[in-house]
Amino acid sequence: MTDRPPGPKGEPVFGNSRQYSRDALDFVIACERAYGSVAQIDFGPQEVYLLSDPDHIERVLVRDADRYRKPDFQNDALGDLLGEGLLLSEGSTWERQREFATPAFAPDRVGRLDDRILAHADRMLDRWKPGEVRDLEIEMMGVTLRVIADLMLGVQLDDREVETIRESLEPLGARFEPDPVRFALPNWLPTPDGREYREALDTLDGVLDDIVARRRQKGIHGDGAAGEPMDLLAILLRAGERGEQTRGQLRDEMMTMLLAGHDTTALTLTYTWHLLSEHPAVRERLYDDLDDLAAPPSAASVRECPRLERVLNEAMRLYPPVYTLFRSPTEPDAFDGYRIPEDASVMLSQWAVHRSSRHWEAPETFDPDRFRPERRQDRPAFAFFPFGGGPRICIGKHLALLEAKLIVAAVADRYRLESLAPPDPELRPSLTIHPADGLPVRIHERDG
Ligand code: HEM
């Protein structure tokens, strides 16, 4: 077996971590281009292997999923935020939590909630005035937060709560921007941003306590048939009454759903609208198809618009909200003859693979038609993996796609958005990829 895969030359002590922190997105693209399917990256104490061959990615996430786990550094970084919620937990805890949560995300339940998603979209659109400039990300975060709180936690958030959550997420997000010095600091060190982080965490915990209190007061009814508790909070509160869920587990799961469930969908919508306004010909074709639907937007009608799904996929290809996954092998593994030690991490980068010319023609071009069936057939399945894959595939995938489709259709019904941002906006990767300076758009009436 060959000993070390190729990789970029690093600096003493820091290895490649300072290069990565300067521009994490360009760095992984350069590694994929220069070294191909397996590259070794040196993050100081962390030994990381970037795997860029879709077949290797599929092996880690799907075929050999039981021989991989989430690396410890993710738990160290995110543990006090997400605790033992679905995103971080492992083994039997993960299995049990996933089993509890699955009915709340079942496609037949989610498909029945279209009118509630559209009501939140309409509420946002009613506030928009033609001629006004608004920030896409703030608007999309607001609507997706309200949707997730309503559909999964059974509460309506007011404006103040949406603002409080948004403000608290700022320092939380900043904490996860790649930074070689912070990587090396212990979590408990009272750095200024550490204090801000703790305060933000306390504020969010307060919002969650309040939601549980309101929900208990209202009664733990679900929205399923015959009063079945079907939303996630109802399921978890009932499990708590049976002694199958502690307060801590309830808190961790609510926090996980609130964060994982809105930011990613909001970013998908944000970049979709940015790309559509930069490509008016694509937007007009989409508007025409949406106008031709036999019925107003609903779960059933948006299903009849394949172009809408292609546009969303292409936006997630170019701007995958989750841009990297990490895993650690539970025993040494090997790819292309290179050995991966047990305590190392493999890095699976949606950003690098989605923009690789090995799998995509003109990868930097926005071309939703590349997702037409005839153009997909020769492409490896894991050349595109915005939702991950295998047993830990995103539990919210169907909900996110339906929600994004309904919100795009609702906006398209009333408005055209003109981007005031540069065509290739600067990006800020933290837990997910955000626009560095917002994405302002001017709102125009549809027929104006
Ligand atoms: C476009 C929107 C979304 C994207 C791109 C996305 C992406 C992802 C990805 C890549 C993973 C896999 C993480 C890994 O393997 O380490 C994941 C997991 C997860 N997502 Fe999403 N997600 C989206 C929407 C949602 C929504 C709407 C929810 C909840 C309401 C959600 C909740 C979760 C949870 C709980 C997990 C962990 C699942 C597990 O490990 O069992 N996501 N998501």
Side-chain angles (χ1 to χ4, degrees), residues 61 70 74 86-89 94 98 105 148 152 253 256-257 260-262 264-266 268 316 320-322 325-327 350 385-389 391-397 399-401 403:
L61 293 179
K70 304 226 171 171
Q74 276 194 330
L86 259 189
L87 201 64
L88 288 185
S89 57
W94 169 76
R98 181 108 187 180
F105 290 91
I148 209 68
M152 289 297 149
E253 214 53 81
T256 299
M257 291 300 166
H262 88 281
T264 42
T265 314
T268 300
M316 288 191 288
V322 177
L325 302 179
F326 287 98
R327 293 289 193 272
Q350 284 95 338
F385 60 113
F387 294 101
R392 305 217 52 161
I393 194 168
C394 176
I395 197 170
K397 179 180 169 182
L399 168 60
L401 284 173
E403 183 182 348

Side-chain angles (χ1 to χ4, degrees), residues 412-439:
D413 211 33
R414 290 168 66 173
Y415 298 110
R416 269 193 183 80
L417 305 181
E418 173 199 358
S419 174
L420 304 178
D424 287 314
E426 202 182 315
L427 301 174
R428 181 170 58 87
S430 65
L431 278 176
T432 42
I433 310 182
H434 294 259
D437 306 304
L439 283 182

